[in-house]
Amino acid sequence: MQPDSSTILHAGDVQETDDAVVKILGEARRKVLLCGPRLDLPAFQSANTYNALARLIARDLHNRVYILVGDERYFLERNRRMLQLCRRFSSHVRARRMSTEMEATSDLFVVIDDRAYLHQPHFDTPVAVANFDARGRARQFTQRFEELWAHAESISEISTLGLPSR
């Protein structure tokens, strides 16, 4: 498929980036990967995002959401909806903190089903690109996520029982 306005979105401000996050999450059918220093866009704290991810999980019990953050404290204190999602769907939503041994990432990315992605090159600047038909680039982000995930540490505060996420 030739890229066109229906497959590529360029977001230039917070609202456009938030809209792109909600849109790409709504397209997910099996798996979502969320990675960023803080996941501090308003979209990650919205009911629309929570509902899109809850619907993904409800559609099929094999569906998964993986969340990787750099700033664990920020995530626990400011991302109430994401935290609620982790606790409510603990078998399907896993969250970890990036290892201090790994190089810190300053960008934010979302990958769905190894076929589409959203990338915000720097978390402090609300400029992002989303591509809904980019398996090759999405796979690159997936591989990066998997490497970070392999070295990540559990966030014990997520579980109401204090058990670490797997």
Side-chain angles (χ1 to χ4, degrees), residues 21-65:
V21 167
V22 172
K23 182 173 181 174
I24 203 164
L25 292 176
E27 296 285 322
R29 299 292 169 251
R30 295 180 288 103
K31 179 175 68 172
V32 171
L33 309 177
L34 303 172
C35 181
R38 291 187 298 207
L39 298 182
D40 61 349
L41 287 170
F44 293 114
Q45 298 155 29
S46 77
N48 289 337
T49 296
Y50 178 90
N51 292 335
L53 294 174
R55 279 192 303 273
L56 170 72
I57 295 162
R59 265 196 307 270
D60 188 323
L61 294 179
H62 293 97
N63 291 347
R64 296 288 183 266
V65 176

Side-chain angles (χ1 to χ4, degrees), residues 38-99:
R38 291 187 298 207
L39 298 182
D40 61 349
L41 287 170
F44 293 114
Q45 298 155 29
S46 77
N48 289 337
T49 296
Y50 178 90
N51 292 335
L53 294 174
R55 279 192 303 273
L56 170 72
I57 295 162
R59 265 196 307 270
D60 188 323
L61 294 179
H62 293 97
N63 291 347
R64 296 288 183 266
V65 176
Y66 298 92
I67 302 167
L68 191 54
V69 296
D71 188 339
E72 172 186 10
R73 283 290 122 216
Y74 186 93
F75 180 75
L76 292 170
E77 293 169 5
R78 303 282 304 272
N79 291 83
R80 296 287 180 209
R81 288 194 195 268
M82 297 302 273
L83 193 55
Q84 182 183 12
L85 191 76
C86 291
R87 288 180 174 152
R88 181 175 176 202
F89 300 105
S90 61
S91 296
H92 309 284
V93 180
R94 306 234 167 70
R96 290 187 177 181
R97 171 185 69 243
M98 288 181 223
S99 171

Side-chain angles (χ1 to χ4, degrees), residues 4-23:
D4 61 30
S5 62
S6 65
T7 59
I8 299 174
L9 289 175
H10 295 275
D13 62 31
V14 172
Q15 186 59 55
E16 289 177 350
T17 302
D18 281 350
D19 292 346
V21 167
V22 172
K23 182 173 181 174

